[in-house]
Amino acid sequence: MSTRIFGSGIKRREDPRLITGKGLFTDDITLPGTLHMVIVRSPHAHARIKRVDTSAAEAVKGVVAVFTGSDVDLGAIPCAWLIPNSDLKTPAHPALAKDRVRYVGDGVAIVVAENRYQAQDGADAVRVEYETLPSVVNPEEATRAGAPQLFDDVPNNIAFRWIASSGDDAVNKAFQDADIVVKERIVQQRLVPTAMETRSAVAQWNSVTEEMTVWCTSQNPHIHRHILGLVLGIPDHRLRIVAPEVGGGFGSKIPVYADEALTAWEARKLNRPVKWTETRTENYQVTIHGRDHVEYVEMAAKKDGTVTGIRGTVYAAMGAYLSTAAPGIPTILHGLMYSGAYTIPNIRCEAIGVFTNTTPTDAYRGAGRPEATFLVERLMDKLAAALNMDSVAIRRKNLIPPFDNGHQVAIGITYDSGNYAAALDKALEILGYDQFRQEQEAARRQGRYLGVGVTTYSEICGLGPSQVAGAVGFQGGLWESVIIRVSPLSKVQVMIGASPHGQGEETTFAQVVSDELGFPIENIEIVHGDTNRTPMGWGTYGSRTTPVSGAALVLAARKLKEKARVLAAHLMEAAVEDIDYADGRFFVKGSPDKFKTIQDVTLMANVAWNMPPGMEPGMEASQFYDPPNFVYPFGTHIAVVEVDAETGAVQLKRYIAVDDCGPQINPVIVEGQIHGGIVQGIGQALYEGAVYDENGQLLTGSLMDYALPRADYFPRFELAHTYTPSPHHPIGVKGIGETGTIASTPTVYNAVIDALKPLGVEQIEMPLTAPRVWAAIQQARGGV
Ligand code: MCN
């Protein structure tokens, strides 16, 4: 019997070229005659532009052109996420500011030169006169009376107000009738997505055919094509977007930025190729940031620990303009997940999107779900403490019981499948929970502060079913399409609309196709990242590629297999019902020696001289796929920490993650995704935070100032899995790309608070750096 390639941890096929320096990234592309662009950016968070003097810049050697906001005849950069039934305001976001700048980094002018150094010299010579205006950086403060206003027609800086509720009267009653209510004000600090590769774009205009090609760092080339097409006024069949190798994105390469539009605009205007590549400082100032929420939340419960309600109000910073998907984050990806893994009968979330004089925010790994998981898990621990209950016992009491085909939560969405208690049991067993609690007691007697954090989570991914998405207020179905084409010699090309950029689908998708059709994996190539070579797709983010594009892939492969079976039956002069399949061979039932291989059948389909009547020649199938529901991976994460009460230093001693993403195509890739995710989530809990001063200057504007976690900060992660298939995915898989980030922040946070319980510390603002933890301990001890 052959070993199944589905489920085997083969090495990633994309890695040899990446780790030997053979990958082709956007900045590696230099076409003959390329010009280089540098963007002059505002040093002020909020100011009126009084005058821009480009004359000195134009005189710099090598400078070809300098343009300001009034020269650029581009459409505004749109926000693609609209929220129906809300008062969403979408003030124009010009590609270059004309009269007012609204954050440090807002583009004011562009300089194009024969090389990058000359362009930079030119940019340094542009003189801009500003009249500075008061600025506001905190989303809660920005809504208060008297706060500086970013847009004349957006009162109180409120971009939108969105409410999701299981029924306001019942929610209010649950809180009135509660035996106990716990509350917290949670600050989800702003984070900077730090991909290894900064953003870059190269544009080439063909003035004869009027076609534009843009190579750029995109997670979703087809979305780039739509939006850049609109902004540039180029029909999408004349606009080709190529995402070559993309060095990570974590959400930051979903949005369509002004910078890419400007690169293309110049290429057309000057009729020469133009390249633009961000510096790391620009990357920190201009590429979107994540989180930045201030949220007031409360949980109502009975004395026995049964949760009866949860409600909250989140002030979500949008930054200075609405980025492509920004309004979706505090709303459907956050508010709709207030139930977590628990049965909570009454739920209400109000999300207020707020403009501030800061870098625009958008999706950063987890996007909305880490914040939701954090608040639910935080309130669970607070409730346990208030009722003097064990934090695992209170979770167990409220967990949704196992279900395998749909469970509707009070807010209205339907989780697909889950067995939360099974993951919890497994994680507790790995830790040895009861024994740990004894060790903790013993340690406390010796003046050592050990703590444990336990998170039982469920998350929403696989964006997104058009029907469900529409019903919850997202005007768009994020479907996928796939084409599988097999050549006469059985070389398989799989064209996908999704656009992986580090996740490994060149390997896992080839595993799926090999498993379904029986071609050896070496013969299968996954083609992605080029709108001229691939069918329509909405990209790679929201852990959607395997749930959505992967489902299209399986269905396309099954179409081909069915065609091959009919053709094999014809070639063997047997009835189709009598044909069985195994390991790449079609054979007559009961006579395994009488067979045709998939290669035999493929050759015939392509040369086509002996086809069954009515069968089309060729070995090609395409499939569009609009999923019937989201998928909901889940699991339990546990962290054990020790806090040094004299210094405030937190040491992470153990980290256990039991995740369930259904059947795993490649367990090594799945674990790699979980590792990366955990590190990003713990980065938020312990180290990272973008800090603005009161004038809107980003103080953490480089890798020297922004504390990214490093490998040597972490113990070996202890991973385990449960396997609960999604009922609606053709092979049962759910996404795994974000679970680590979603679960790990509250896990580590709660562990630290648990460690400090004997000292009376109940809350510390993230990141939990040693000085902050130390200060909280001093305060609890009665010091300052
Ligand atoms: N997989 C599997 N079995 C499953 C589920 C997934 O083998 N049951 C595999 C997939 O086939 C794929 C990988 O795990 O190879 C992740 O798949 P999926 O969960 O579908 O997520 P996406 O491919 O859609 O990736 C998006 C996700 C997100 S949202 C962020 S942010 C993120 C992440 O992936 N950014 C990343 N992982 C990243 N990894 C890298 N290296 N770089 C990024 O920018």
Side-chain angles (χ1 to χ4, degrees):
M1 226 180 81
S2 63
T3 321
R4 230 184 133 190
I5 194 153
F6 184 104
S8 89
I10 59 168
K11 286 189 178 160
R12 291 181 9 140
R13 305 161 83 208
E14 38 278 84
D15 284 352
R17 66 172 195 267
L18 292 173
I19 62 177
T20 56
K22 293 187 183 121
L24 183 83
F25 293 83
T26 303
D27 193 52
D28 295 327
I29 297 166
T30 300
L31 304 166
T34 294
L35 294 170
H36 297 260
M37 175 176 97
V38 166
I39 301 177
V40 179
R41 299 190 180 278
S42 165
H44 301 293
H46 201 186
R48 253 182 249 295
I49 301 171
K50 293 181 73 182
R51 209 166 71 92
V52 185
D53 180 355
T54 58
S55 51
E58 280 153 13
V60 169
K61 181 168 176 268
V63 167
V64 173
V66 184
F67 299 106
T68 66
S70 50
D71 303 318
V72 175
D73 51 351
L74 273 174
I77 308 298
C79 167
W81 197 306
L82 305 176
I83 314 174
N85 310 323
S86 87
D87 53 352
L88 178 68
K89 315 264 186 328
T90 50
H93 175 191
L96 277 185
K98 286 188 173 61
D99 49 10
R100 197 153 146 194
V101 288
R102 294 184 173 84
Y103 72 106
V104 172
D106 217 351
V108 179
I110 42 182
V111 178
V112 206
E114 296 294 342
N115 69 42
R116 189 177 170 140
Y117 307 99
Q118 292 164 335
Q120 186 61 57
D121 287 347
D124 292 345
V126 173
R127 293 283 160 260
V128 188
E129 246 179 77
Y130 296 98
E131 175 197 334
T132 55
L133 299 167
S135 58
V136 60
V137 298
N138 177 296
E140 194 182 6
E141 284 166 18
T143 61
R144 296 208 179 115
Q149 302 290 295
L150 270 80
F151 298 96
D152 298 341
D153 50 355
V154 183
N156 303 319
N157 299 310
I158 295 180
F160 61 86
R161 226 177 245 281
W162 173 92
I163 293 169
S165 173
S166 58
D168 282 0
D169 293 345
V171 173
N172 291 339
K173 188 159 180 344
F175 277 83
Q176 276 155 19
D177 296 350
D179 294 333
I180 181 165
V181 172
V182 287
K183 302 178 184 209
E184 190 142 313
R185 176 181 184 269
I186 295 171
V187 177
Q188 293 283 345
Q189 80 271 31
R190 191 174 259 263
L191 301 175
V192 183
T194 307
M196 279 208 275
E197 180 202 22
T198 60
R199 284 184 303 117
S200 181
V202 174
Q204 185 180 38
W205 172 246
N206 183 328
S207 57
V208 179
T209 58
E210 302 204 324
E211 285 173 324
M212 175 76 81
T213 304
V214 181
W215 292 262
C216 63
T217 45
S218 172
Q219 295 180 219
N220 28 247
H222 294 272
I223 293 186
H224 267 80
R225 187 179 63 178
H226 278 315
I227 296 184
L228 284 181
L230 284 173
V231 174
L232 291 156
I234 299 177
D236 55 12
H237 66 288
R238 297 247 164 95
L239 180 55
R240 176 182 181 192
I241 307 292
V242 187
E245 219 72 85
V246 175
F250 310 107
S252 69
K253 292 169 182 169
I254 299 171
V256 180
Y257 294 83
D259 316 317
E260 295 134 19
L262 289 166
T263 310
W265 179 80
E266 268 180 346
R268 182 173 58 183
K269 179 119 188 137
L270 303 173
N271 202 15
R272 280 178 68 178
V274 174
K275 184 193 283 193
W276 167 82
T277 300
E278 244 181 2
T279 62
R280 183 61 72 182
T281 302
E282 276 182 301
N283 177 249
Y284 267 40
Q285 281 185 348
V286 181
T287 294
I288 61 100
H289 292 171
R291 319 282 189 262
D292 202 0
H293 292 180
V294 177
E295 189 152 17
Y296 291 85
V297 287
E298 51 186 340
M299 185 176 260
K302 294 189 198 157
K303 267 198 238 63
D304 68 354
T306 306
V307 177
T308 52
I310 185 167
R311 66 182 172 193
T313 301
V314 54
Y315 294 87
M318 297 287 107
Y321 303 100
L322 284 183
S323 178
T324 306
I329 290 150
T331 53
I332 79 161
L333 293 175
H334 174 70
L336 294 183
M337 287 310 291
Y338 262 33
S339 206
Y342 309 105
T343 302
I344 304 181
N346 297 290
I347 304 177
R348 184 180 197 272
C349 170
E350 177 166 359
I352 304 170
V354 186
F355 290 113
T356 55
N357 294 108
T358 57
T359 302
T361 61
D362 207 315
Y364 173 50
R365 203 170 193 169
R369 292 150 289 163
E371 300 92 314
T373 306
F374 188 95
L375 73 91
V376 177
E377 294 303 307
R378 193 59 218 120
L379 290 174
M380 278 290 173
D381 263 26
K382 261 200 131 160
L383 190 60
L387 293 171
N388 210 11
M389 279 179 79
D390 175 70
S391 59
V392 170
I394 200 153
R395 285 177 167 77
R396 218 183 263 294
K397 191 169 193 68
N398 290 287
L399 280 182
I400 297 170
F403 57 101
D404 57 16
N405 196 9
H407 172 89
Q408 193 176 35
V409 293
I411 201 91
I413 54 173
T414 300
Y415 295 0
D416 60 346
S417 59
N419 187 344
Y420 305 143
L424 175 63
D425 289 341
K426 202 165 196 170
L428 293 174
E429 194 189 317
I430 296 170
L431 171 67
Y433 183 74
D434 296 335
Q435 197 192 333
F436 171 79
R437 285 292 188 197
Q438 288 167 15
E439 283 165 21
Q440 185 184 37
E441 273 311 309
R444 280 177 180 167
R445 285 195 292 274
Q446 297 162 12
R448 286 174 56 215
Y449 297 96
L450 296 180
V452 64
V454 178
T455 292
T456 43
Y457 76 92
S458 169
E459 72 113 335
I460 182 172
C461 67
L463 271 74
S466 60
Q467 293 302 321
V468 187
V472 298
F474 170 52
Q475 291 178 323
L478 298 180
W479 48 272
E480 283 297 318
S481 66
V482 160
I483 298 172
I484 304 180
R485 182 177 299 148
V486 194
S487 78
L489 297 180
S490 288
K491 300 286 181 214
V492 186
Q493 276 198 317
V494 181
M495 277 71 72
I496 62 171
S499 196
H501 46 279
Q503 290 84 354
E505 272 90 355
E506 286 179 32
T507 306
T508 51
F509 276 24
Q511 285 179 265
V512 169
V513 172
S514 176
D515 193 63
E516 290 286 334
L517 289 174
F519 294 107
I521 193 163
E522 304 75 49
N523 286 9
I524 302 169
E525 184 200 3
I526 309 297
V527 180
H528 61 88
D530 181 343
T531 56
N532 272 20
R533 291 186 71 202
T534 61
M536 176 62 200
W538 292 89
T540 288
Y541 47 83
S543 304
R544 66 183 300 275
T545 308
T546 314
V548 187
S549 179
L553 181 73
V554 172
L555 297 179
R558 289 184 181 168
K559 271 188 193 166
L560 271 189
K561 191 159 159 189
E562 198 40 43
K563 177 172 185 172
R565 179 198 296 282
V566 175
L567 182 48
H570 172 76
L571 295 177
M572 290 189 279
E573 295 176 348
V576 178
E577 313 78 71
D578 291 340
I579 301 295
D580 260 353
Y581 169 88
D583 299 333
R585 290 175 174 198
F586 296 94
F587 54 90
V588 179
K589 272 182 192 148
S591 317
D593 294 345
K594 194 170 179 202
F595 66 85
K596 290 282 172 198
T597 63
I598 183 80
Q599 287 82 359
D600 296 334
V601 178
T602 298
L603 182 60
M604 179 52 76
N606 276 287
V607 293
W609 58 267
N610 183 12
M611 302 288 279
M615 180 181 275
E616 287 177 357
M619 211 35 184
E620 177 168 326
S622 70
Q623 180 73 45
F624 289 79
Y625 187 74
D626 179 8
N629 194 0
F630 294 95
V631 291
Y632 293 83
F634 61 89
T636 295
H637 284 210
I638 300 182
V640 174
V641 301
E642 179 162 0
V643 181
D644 182 334
E646 301 315 312
T647 63
V650 175
Q651 190 199 353
L652 182 62
K653 294 177 86 75
R654 287 183 73 181
Y655 197 92
I656 296 157
V658 177
D659 295 286
D660 191 323
C661 59
Q664 299 178 2
I665 304 167
N666 185 319
V668 173
I669 289 182
V670 165
E671 295 209 340
Q673 287 293 311
I674 296 170
H675 279 202
I678 292 172
V679 166
Q680 274 172 309
I682 299 178
Q684 173 170 17
L686 297 181
Y687 312 112
E688 297 181 45
V691 180
Y692 282 97
D693 71 9
E694 65 282 8
N695 298 318
Q697 293 292 335
L698 182 63
L699 302 180
T700 50
S702 79
L703 282 163
M704 297 291 284
D705 317 295
Y706 185 83
L708 268 195
R710 298 186 340 195
D712 62 349
Y713 294 0
F714 299 98
R716 190 180 60 84
F717 299 144
E718 300 165 63
L719 303 193
H721 309 274
T722 56
Y723 306 89
T724 308
S726 169
H728 64 75
H729 189 286
I731 51 173
V733 299
K734 304 183 181 188
I736 195 63
E738 294 158 292
T739 58
T741 316
I742 288 165
S744 60
T745 314
T747 308
V748 170
Y749 184 96
N750 279 337
V752 174
I753 299 296
D754 182 57
L756 299 177
K757 199 169 168 191
L759 299 172
V761 175
E762 288 184 357
Q763 192 179 6
I764 312 171
E765 216 169 271
M766 292 188 290
L768 304 180
T769 57
R772 286 189 182 189
V773 174
W774 181 84
I777 295 170
Q778 298 309 306
Q779 206 180 15
R781 281 175 169 163
V784 241

